[in-house]
Amino acid sequence: ADWREPPGAAADGRRADGPDGRRADGPPSASADGRVEPPADRAEPAARIGVQTEMSVSPPNIQGSIRQRLLIMLLLSAAGIAILLYVVVQSVAEQIAQESQDNILAASAISILDSARVVEGDISIDLPYSSLSMLDSVTDERAFYAIRLNDAFLSGYPDLPRISARSDTTAYQSTTYLGEDIRIATTWRSFSTLQGQAHLEISVAQTLTGLNQSIARISRISLAVGLGFFAVSMLVAMVIAQSTIRPLHRLTTSVSRR
């Protein structure tokens, strides 16, 4: 019987190429150590092709945070200055008003003290009208006085509070009398009489209704000034924050476009 080549076999014993032009594979070949190696076209590819995913990264929103921090710092500074301005104006106004009233009370007490004379060994006092008329004001304040010689009451209001600490200068005290807040000025002077050294004490007091009204009016004015300063400072702070952040915004926009 004739031996024939199997279909598709070449004359030299190799398998013929397939219809697509690629060589048909034979059985797996064994290596010298007995391992079976797969055909070359069936091996896994050496490198795998990765799929790159394009991710869009947005620039950080630093514009709002910087503007907010800058605006908060400026507003806190403006608020602190406004409060300090209110406190300073209030304190100075109260001090000026108090000193003005103290000067009037001292002038009234010294005027009464200057009218005292030693006549035949005794002290005579002629209470001048001007000493109390200078205490008149628009708010119709009430005035009180008390004259004492060696702790003995002579004239005026006997229960008017006294300033215990005696000094060479006029002393002042704020207290309550007959249900009203008053300010007292007291001055002393020594006289030589037939009985020896005598100490004359003059106290003049005035209610604080007008002073309190003046301080309240000044407080409202200083508060309005402080609020106005804060409002103007707030507008200026917004403009400064916006103008400061504008170059940074331009830089951020330019970098994000790249």
Side-chain angles (χ1 to χ4, degrees), residues 74-204:
L74 293 175
L75 289 180
L76 289 177
S77 300
I81 296 175
I83 294 174
L84 181 62
L85 179 63
Y86 170 76
V87 172
V88 170
V89 172
Q90 180 76 8
S91 177
V92 172
E94 291 181 359
Q95 184 177 0
I96 293 176
Q98 190 68 72
E99 288 180 355
S100 299
Q101 188 179 37
D102 289 347
N103 292 334
I104 296 175
L105 291 174
S108 176
I110 293 174
S111 175
I112 297 175
L113 192 60
D114 291 339
S115 65
R117 298 288 186 272
V118 179
V119 179
E120 297 181 356
D122 293 330
I123 298 177
S124 175
I125 300 175
D126 185 11
L127 186 65
Y129 174 78
S130 61
S131 60
L132 297 179
S133 63
M134 67 176 64
L135 298 176
D136 291 342
S137 61
V138 180
T139 55
D140 193 15
E141 298 284 359
R142 298 179 62 185
F144 312 94
Y145 75 97
I147 302 175
R148 295 179 176 90
L149 180 64
N150 292 332
D151 296 333
F153 176 76
L154 296 181
S155 178
Y157 294 80
D159 54 349
L160 186 67
R162 300 179 61 184
I163 299 178
S164 56
R166 183 176 298 179
S167 62
D168 297 334
T169 58
T170 305
Y172 305 93
Q173 181 181 359
S174 296
T175 184
T176 303
Y177 180 64
L178 298 180
E180 295 187 73
D181 295 332
I182 62 172
R183 182 73 170 175
I184 302 175
T186 303
T187 185
W188 299 266
R189 184 175 296 178
S190 297
F191 294 89
S192 297
T193 62
L194 295 177
Q195 291 79 16
Q197 198 75 10
H199 300 281
L200 184 64
E201 176 185 328
I202 307 296
S203 297
V204 177

Side-chain angles (χ1 to χ4, degrees), residues 232-253:
V232 174
S233 300
M234 183 173 60
L235 295 178
V236 174
M238 295 176 64
V239 173
I240 292 176
Q242 185 65 26
S243 61
T244 303
I245 204 66
R246 188 176 295 115
L248 183 59
H249 175 60
R250 293 176 181 174
L251 179 60
T252 305
T253 304

